[in-house]
Amino acid sequence: PAAVLFSGVPSRSFFPRGFLWDEGFHGLILARWQPRIFLDVLAHWLELQQSSGWIPREVPLGAEQEVRVPRQFLPQDPTVANPPSFLLPLAWLVGIAVRSDMEIESAAALARRAGLS
């Protein structure tokens, strides 16, 4: 595949692809459990972002995964997007950082390590 995606897929055998909408909700748990892993997952999704800002809603990577996806779900329409569910766990992390008086330099360093800056 031309891209890679670190993603939480609830049933890899039945849904062999990442879902942008679901990933934000998975992130609500992951950000609390392992914030750095959440930021890594977020960075992978952001790497799929197109120059227009659009991020694919469903991402089957490779022929093996595409075979298990119904044909009607393979084409993606850039005029159709999901609500930004990634903002929920990201807002939680920012709130934790603010409440714990995390220094701006520390937050920037964390973002750089996650590939977000």
Side-chain angles (χ1 to χ4, degrees), residues 43-60:
H44 273 88
W45 279 95
L46 291 177
E47 287 175 8
L48 298 174
Q49 187 173 29
Q50 297 181 357
S51 61
S52 65
W54 181 78
I55 301 172
R57 296 178 326 278
E58 299 180 27
V59 183

Side-chain angles (χ1 to χ4, degrees), residues 10-52:
S11 173
R12 197 164 297 281
S13 61
F14 193 69
F15 295 106
R17 57 198 182 274
F19 290 91
L20 180 62
W21 166 260
D22 295 8
E23 204 67 60
F25 295 107
H26 300 161
L28 287 170
I29 296 169
L30 191 55
R32 286 163 174 78
W33 175 64
Q34 284 291 333
R36 291 177 196 261
I37 293 176
F38 163 72
L39 291 172
D40 192 19
V41 169
L42 176 61
H44 273 88
W45 279 95
L46 291 177
E47 287 175 8
L48 298 174
Q49 187 173 29
Q50 297 181 357
S51 61
S52 65

Side-chain angles (χ1 to χ4, degrees), residues 4 13 25 30 39 44 67 69-70 76 87 89 100 112:
V4 296
S13 61
F25 295 107
L30 191 55
L39 291 172
H44 273 88
V67 166
V69 176
Q76 297 280 318
L87 292 179
S100 67
R112 277 193 302 279

Side-chain angles (χ1 to χ4, degrees), residues 54-117:
W54 181 78
I55 301 172
R57 296 178 326 278
E58 299 180 27
V59 183
L61 296 174
E64 184 178 340
Q65 291 183 352
E66 287 182 5
V67 166
R68 302 213 18 106
V69 176
R71 284 275 162 234
Q72 69 266 26
F73 297 120
L74 286 175
Q76 297 280 318
D77 182 353
T79 64
V80 178
N82 282 133
S85 63
F86 264 124
L87 292 179
L88 298 170
L90 200 53
W92 183 83
L93 282 175
V94 168
I96 291 297
V98 168
R99 283 192 299 277
S100 67
D101 293 324
M102 178 190 260
E103 295 179 12
I104 301 240
E105 292 174 9
S106 296
L110 181 63
R112 277 193 302 279
R113 282 194 300 276
L116 299 175
S117 62

